[in-house]
Amino acid sequence: MASSSSGIVAGLTVAALATVGFLTYQASASVPAGLGSPTTGSALAAATSKAPRADPTALPAGSGTGKRVVYSVKADRVWLVGPGDKIIRTFKVTPGTVDPAPGSYAVTSRSNRVTGTDGTPVEHVVRFTNVNRVPIGFSAAVNGSVPAPAPTVRAGGVRESRADGNAMWRFATIGERVVVIR
């Protein structure tokens, strides 16, 4: 009995791994080239200019085209951009102590509710990269606070209000493009 059970478990494990492998391939085949890893180039360089902007809520030039999340580490601002470069929402954020490099990424994971690296319960976590093993993503504190992290903590959480976190959660599903600019 034990050997037939282990055979069934082994068969199910192989089938599960094959399914995960196939789904991973299928997901990666449908994501545009270059997403998930930072890109560089003249278009991105234009978006990282340090020149002051006339309207800080206007979509930055050189931040790409199409549906995407744009995150400016210098302005501490996020834009949720729909088709046709239409701004759906823009809002201020409080960055963590670890910033992602400018580039184009894709949302890699999401968590409805977890505890942040600072011990704060957070919700609607949308992760898009790691920097030296520190996950980088957007989140909202369950208690509604948006405190700056302690400078001694290596935190990649970009905090937003609960309302903005809800909007991000609905907008930025797995594979959605995240463009980071200076």
Side-chain angles (χ1 to χ4, degrees):
M1 179 80 168
S3 64
S4 67
S5 294
S6 63
I8 291 171
V9 170
L12 290 173
T13 302
V14 168
L17 289 173
T19 302
V20 168
F22 172 74
L23 292 174
T24 301
Y25 167 76
Q26 199 173 32
S28 68
S30 66
V31 174
L35 290 183
S37 59
T39 57
T40 58
S42 59
L44 194 55
T48 62
S49 169
K50 297 208 184 252
R53 299 181 45 220
D55 179 2
T57 63
L59 186 63
S63 64
T65 59
K67 187 174 183 236
R68 66 199 181 279
V69 175
V70 176
Y71 170 42
S72 170
V73 295
K74 180 181 178 215
D76 296 332
R77 179 168 288 279
V78 168
W79 293 262
L80 304 181
V81 184
D85 290 336
K86 181 179 184 249
I87 298 173
I88 295 171
R89 187 180 190 107
T90 183
F91 49 90
K92 293 290 281 180
V93 294
T94 302
T97 57
V98 179
D99 285 332
S104 184
Y105 302 87
V107 173
T108 55
S109 70
R110 295 167 24 117
S111 297
N112 191 35
R113 218 174 242 210
V114 296
T115 300
T117 53
D118 61 356
T120 301
V122 294
E123 65 183 0
H124 297 152
V125 180
V126 176
R127 296 176 203 87
F128 60 91
T129 192
N130 287 289
V131 174
N132 298 322
R133 292 191 240 173
V134 175
I136 308 294
F138 305 103
S139 65
V142 173
N143 68 6
S145 67
V146 190
T152 57
V153 175
R154 292 181 40 82
V158 180
R159 292 286 166 82
E160 53 206 359
S161 73
R162 289 189 83 188
D164 294 332
N166 288 336
M168 176 70 78
W169 183 254
R170 288 188 306 275
F171 185 86
T173 57
I174 298 292
E176 189 63 58
R177 193 163 42 124
V178 177
V179 177
V180 176
I181 62 172
R182 281 281 158 228

